[in-house]
Amino acid sequence: MPTPPPRRPDDLVQLLTRAERLAARRLQAVLEEEGCSLDAWRVLALLSDGEGHHMTAIAVAAFLPPPTLTKLVDQLVDQNLLHRRVDPFDRRRILAHLTPRGREYWQRVEQAVRTGQPTLGDGDDELLRSLLDRLAATLAESAHV
């Protein structure tokens, strides 16, 4: 039996990129049916914890540059899905929160996403999450060295 060729260092990046793009395409198709963009879904997901988050944290979580996030947040405010409030602990900062309508919308969108999401089965979903979390933490740690 022939030996498999040695793995190249970029194999992992290729696999991760392919999986991310396929997952994003599938997710976008589900979100489009609900009238939601992938970027808006990421913002709503963060705000769904009910804590309220400042714009910098939202930009990081949504992988968006601040000007793009500002435009998106303005659209979500116009749709009455979220509102901004002054941070009571630091009046220079603004916190974004879901409105009651935004919470209802988030619940509907999240249910559609869960229904449309394929599973690996037999605990593999949790294993994959755990491994990807470890990989991200390791890469973040090595980037700060």
Side-chain angles (χ1 to χ4, degrees):
M1 180 179 270
T3 350
R7 287 210 172 260
R8 297 186 330 253
D10 62 346
D11 283 349
L12 179 60
V13 173
Q14 293 284 58
L15 288 170
L16 289 170
T17 300
R18 182 169 185 257
E20 187 275 335
R21 288 187 179 166
L22 290 169
R25 262 190 243 137
R26 181 180 214 122
L27 177 58
Q28 282 174 321
V30 171
L31 292 174
E32 282 176 11
E33 290 178 19
E34 298 297 326
C36 187
S37 70
L38 182 57
D39 291 337
W41 176 77
R42 287 181 174 134
V43 170
L44 296 171
L46 178 64
L47 297 178
S48 70
D49 67 5
E51 298 294 315
H53 295 274
H54 57 84
M55 298 297 279
T56 303
I58 298 170
V60 169
F63 308 105
L64 293 173
T68 303
L69 175 67
T70 299
K71 289 177 189 170
L72 177 59
V73 167
D74 287 345
Q75 291 169 359
L76 295 172
V77 167
D78 289 346
Q79 296 170 12
N80 192 28
L81 297 177
L82 62 88
H83 60 87
R84 298 176 181 111
R85 294 244 195 270
V86 173
D87 185 338
F89 301 108
D90 182 351
R91 303 212 36 91
R92 297 169 295 175
R93 296 176 91 165
I94 300 296
L95 297 176
H97 297 268
L98 291 180
T99 62
R101 182 170 187 254
R103 279 190 291 280
E104 289 174 14
Y105 181 69
W106 166 251
Q107 289 168 353
R108 188 178 79 237
V109 168
E110 185 58 13
Q111 181 58 44
V113 167
R114 286 184 197 178
T115 301
Q117 188 173 17
T119 59
L120 298 174
D122 295 331
D124 286 345
D125 287 335
E126 282 307 312
L127 175 61
L128 180 59
R129 273 189 189 87
S130 174
L131 291 171
L132 288 172
D133 190 45
R134 276 183 35 206
L135 176 61
T138 300
L139 291 170
E141 190 176 286
S142 67
H144 296 299
V145 174

